[in-house]
Amino acid sequence: MGVEFYITRADFWAENDDAQITSEEWLSCVDGDDELRIDTRNGDYHALWLWPSRNDEPWLDWSAGNIYTTWPDTGLYRKMLKLATRLNAKVMDEGGTVYSDESDWEYDHS
């Protein structure tokens, strides 16, 4: 397990029945973004971020109305902020803490 981050429209990511990002919205977002590409080896909604990263394969995935990843490095976190703005959503960790500024999360593991 690790730190999970979500792009969500809900007040709390796990309680999003009335505030879901649809799979169609996610696929459209990926399709319109040159930095993202669907990688169906890991599912129909699993996207790779095609940008230099500290992670071997930085990824985002859609599930149950949220977009999520585990242990995003600083660059992927900042990409998530941009995507959240585009999707009228916010970035939140698994505990419900909302992140809104580029300086709120920094993780550049070796």
Side-chain angles (χ1 to χ4, degrees):
M1 189 106 188
V3 174
E4 292 185 358
F5 273 62
Y6 297 86
I7 298 173
T8 187
R9 290 185 182 137
D11 291 332
F12 183 65
W13 67 270
E15 299 168 357
N16 70 341
D17 288 343
D18 296 329
Q20 294 195 0
I21 298 166
T22 67
S23 60
E24 292 83 8
E25 287 176 292
W26 172 234
L27 292 174
S28 177
C29 191
V30 171
D31 189 48
D33 192 317
D34 292 340
E35 296 179 4
L36 297 171
R37 177 179 46 101
I38 293 294
D39 177 17
T40 56
R41 294 176 299 161
N42 293 303
D44 291 340
Y45 307 110
H46 186 89
L48 295 178
W49 183 46
L50 309 173
W51 197 258
S53 175
R54 302 285 244 158
N55 297 324
D56 290 334
E57 280 194 339
W59 58 272
L60 297 163
D61 205 348
W62 176 90
S63 179
N66 298 309
I67 298 149
Y68 71 98
T69 195
T70 302
W71 282 112
D73 69 1
T74 304
L76 183 55
Y77 160 73
R78 290 176 178 169
K79 179 65 175 182
M80 292 179 78
L81 289 175
K82 292 175 185 172
L83 291 168
T85 297
R86 210 179 307 163
L87 291 164
N88 193 30
K90 59 187 160 258
V91 175
M92 176 182 298
D93 68 18
E94 75 272 12
T97 301
V98 174
Y99 296 78
S100 58
D101 190 86
E102 287 188 358
S103 65
D104 286 348
W105 172 260
E106 291 189 16
Y107 181 68
D108 291 317
H109 66 293
S110 301

